[in-house]
């Protein structure tokens, strides 16, 4: 996609309140857009500045596989299937050490993971 098409697509997506699409375009082209932010409309510039702040603070987006693992843990926690949760933990031992993963966990999953010793009690 050419740069002018990218700018038009981002601006069009934000005008139509399709924030997921505009965020995806911005994430994929973050470095280019940092320099040319004046070409974006107001809402797109706000999304860009939000993404830049997240990047500078060290925030890492979770990929689809990690999100699927978190969803599986939530389902297992709802069914109180500790064995299933332990299998997921065995495959992804460091996933639940990240702050980003905690935002996607249900309260049931947090309690079980704290009981197992994966999370601290105050999580």
């Amino acid at each position: 996609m050419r740069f002018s098409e990218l700018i038009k697509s981002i601006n069009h997506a934000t005008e139509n309140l399709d924030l997921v699409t505009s965020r995806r375009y911005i994430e994929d082209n973050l470095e280019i857009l940092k320099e040319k932010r004046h070409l974006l409309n107001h809402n797109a510039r706000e999304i860009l500045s939000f993404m830049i702040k997240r990047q500078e603070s060290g925030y890492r987006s979770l990929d689809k596989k990690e999100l699927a693992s978190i969803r599986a843990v939530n389902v297992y926690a709802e069914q109180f299937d500790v064995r299933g949760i332990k299998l997921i933990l065995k495959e992804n031992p460091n996933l639940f050490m990240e702050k980003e993963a905690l935002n996607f966990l249900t309260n049931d999953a947090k309690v079980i993971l704290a009981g197992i010793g994966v999370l601290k009690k105050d999580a």
Side-chain angles (χ1 to χ4, degrees):
M1 180 181 294
R2 291 190 336 225
F3 184 72
S4 61
E5 292 175 8
L6 174 69
I7 295 293
K8 286 180 187 177
S9 297
I10 292 171
N11 286 334
H12 180 70
T14 54
E15 287 171 4
N16 292 329
L17 298 176
D18 186 6
L19 302 178
V20 173
T21 302
S22 60
R23 191 196 91 209
R24 187 169 13 115
Y25 285 142
I26 291 171
E27 278 181 347
D28 293 343
N29 301 289
L30 192 62
E31 296 303 318
I32 298 167
L33 293 172
K34 282 181 182 179
E35 299 167 6
K36 304 286 186 177
R37 75 175 58 189
H38 65 278
L39 298 173
L40 298 171
N41 65 18
H42 178 70
N43 291 335
R45 280 194 304 266
E46 289 296 320
I47 294 171
L48 177 64
S49 65
F50 175 75
M51 299 302 295
I52 291 170
K53 287 177 187 174
R54 284 177 57 180
Q55 184 184 38
E56 289 171 353
S57 69
Y59 182 83
R60 182 183 73 84
S61 297
L62 300 174
D63 62 9
K64 288 183 180 182
K65 184 181 177 193
E66 292 170 333
L67 288 173
S69 297
I70 292 170
R71 278 189 223 108
V73 167
N74 287 336
V75 169
Y76 286 139
E78 183 179 321
Q79 300 168 353
F80 201 72
D81 184 1
V82 178
R83 193 164 130 211
I85 293 173
K86 285 184 178 181
L87 285 173
I88 299 288
L89 291 173
K90 192 176 198 181
E91 294 172 8
N92 303 308
N94 296 325
L95 175 61
F96 298 99
M97 303 293 178
E98 300 181 26
K99 288 191 291 186
E100 294 83 22
L102 296 178
N103 296 331
F104 294 100
L105 290 173
T106 62
N107 287 335
D108 294 337
K110 288 179 183 178
V111 168
I112 292 174
L113 290 173
I116 293 173
V118 175
L119 299 179
K120 295 178 183 175
K121 296 288 184 188
D122 60 344

